[in-house]
Structure formats: C-alpha cells, structure tokens
Amino acid sequence: MGHRSDGEKNCLDYQLSGGRHEDLDFGSQDTFLFQCLKDSSELAKLELKTEKVVAKWSTSPVDKPHGMAMVPGTDRVFIVGGTGKLGLFDLSNGQIVGTVDVSPKVDEIAYDPTLQRVYCASGLGTISVVGLDHNALAALPPLTSSPGAHSIAVDPQTHAIWIAFAKNDKSYVQAFTAK
C-alpha cells in the first residue's frame, strides 16, 4: 500500500462515495476488502493489489448496512441493516441470496461457523439468532440482552456469545450460552 499525502503509512487512499462507511472484512482469498456503505445501501469491493474499488453492489432490501460477517470457506457474507433485515450476500455475483427479519437497531454481528448461526446485537436489548442451512436463513428464538449492547463476539471453542455495553458510566461484558 502507498502513502497518503498527509504522511500516513500503510493506508489505502481510495475515493469511495456512498456516505458513511461501516463494517469491513476480507474475502475468502484475502485479495479483496469489502465495506458496507450505510447512506447508499451498498457493499463496496476493493482490490488490495491495485488499491481500486472494483465493484459496488446494492444491499437492498438490507437498507443502511452496518455489520457484516464472512462465512468461512465460501464467497458468502452476512450483512445486517439497522432497519431490521439480515441478508446473505453472494460475493461472486453481487446478489442477495436470502433475507430474514431481525431486531432493528443492530450494529454488529458475529458468526459461529460450527453451529452455523449468526448473532445480531441490537441496541434495544435483543440478540437476534439466525441459523444458516446452505442458503436458507431461519430466525431462531432471540436472546434478551442489555439495552445499548452493540458489540458482539462468539468464542469459536465454547460457542459462548459475548456482548459489551455501558450502563451508568460503567462498562460491562456479558456471556450467553448458545442453545
């Protein structure tokens, strides 16, 4: 990667319209970086070797995309919108192959490849749980969490779901057991 004009090293200097940039992740071959564009409801594909945006795809009906989680070993990625829709996106052709309703106000998501479940942390105090069976998405019973929890991670060994949140000027992490 080159140098930006302001002296920052190892920074990609790319022009990407589409408003606020949200979550980003690498594809299965680590040659592309994908980034959600919230205001334009698009997913951008950046080629790292050339430092160019090579594609932008609509994420509709997943509007205002925030979080994303790659499905390891595939060309699939989960994308969630703050409006309450989770989509499974095919990175080989830029198409949504499945959607399911989740709690609104989701910011981050985490995927457990062993259990084939994606967990969506909503600031409203709910963790939406969605199962993946090939391309089929199925809403599973949600978990009740703490209002304001937006950060989420899954322990790949124990399958525990972890959230982080703040309450009354204190920060907390809390674990949940996958059922």
Side-chain angles (χ1 to χ4, degrees):
M1 285 181 234
H3 297 273
R4 292 187 342 193
S5 60
D6 62 2
E8 290 289 328
K9 294 180 181 179
N10 298 321
C11 290
L12 256 174
D13 187 11
Y14 63 94
Q15 298 298 315
L16 190 56
S17 62
R20 291 176 280 178
H21 303 164
E22 292 290 337
D23 208 354
L24 67 155
D25 208 341
F26 287 96
S28 62
Q29 302 297 318
D30 291 338
T31 56
F32 296 102
L33 185 66
F34 297 89
Q35 184 164 34
C36 292
L37 305 177
K38 183 177 176 182
D39 293 341
S40 62
S41 293
E42 293 176 304
L43 180 66
K45 180 180 183 180
L46 298 98
E47 185 176 43
L48 296 175
K49 186 176 182 178
T50 63
E51 299 184 17
K52 302 281 186 211
V53 177
V54 295
K56 285 190 350 184
W57 300 303
S58 170
T59 60
S60 182
V62 180
D63 296 324
K64 302 197 180 305
H66 277 256
M68 65 189 306
M70 294 291 177
V71 179
T74 73
D75 284 331
R76 303 291 164 105
V77 62
F78 290 104
I79 298 175
V80 70
T83 56
K85 198 67 94 168
L86 174 78
L88 181 61
F89 203 85
D90 186 329
L91 297 172
S92 68
N93 62 18
Q95 299 294 312
I96 294 272
V97 295
T99 62
V100 66
D101 290 331
V102 295
S103 181
K105 306 274 186 205
V106 169
D107 193 13
E108 293 183 13
I109 61 177
Y111 180 64
D112 184 328
T114 302
L115 297 180
Q116 296 186 332
R117 291 183 184 166
V118 62
Y119 300 95
C120 309
S122 168
L124 299 178
T126 302
I127 300 172
S128 296
V129 182
V130 176
L132 171 65
D133 184 13
H134 295 74
N135 290 332
L137 301 177
L140 301 173
L143 302 171
T144 301
S145 67
S146 295
H150 291 275
S151 299
I152 191 164
V154 174
D155 182 325
Q157 301 301 314
T158 66
H159 309 289
I161 304 125
W162 288 87
I163 61 167
F165 62 97
K167 188 176 186 180
N168 299 328
D169 295 329
K170 293 188 179 189
S171 297
Y172 301 92
V173 293
Q174 182 178 6
F176 295 84
T177 302
K179 296 178 181 184

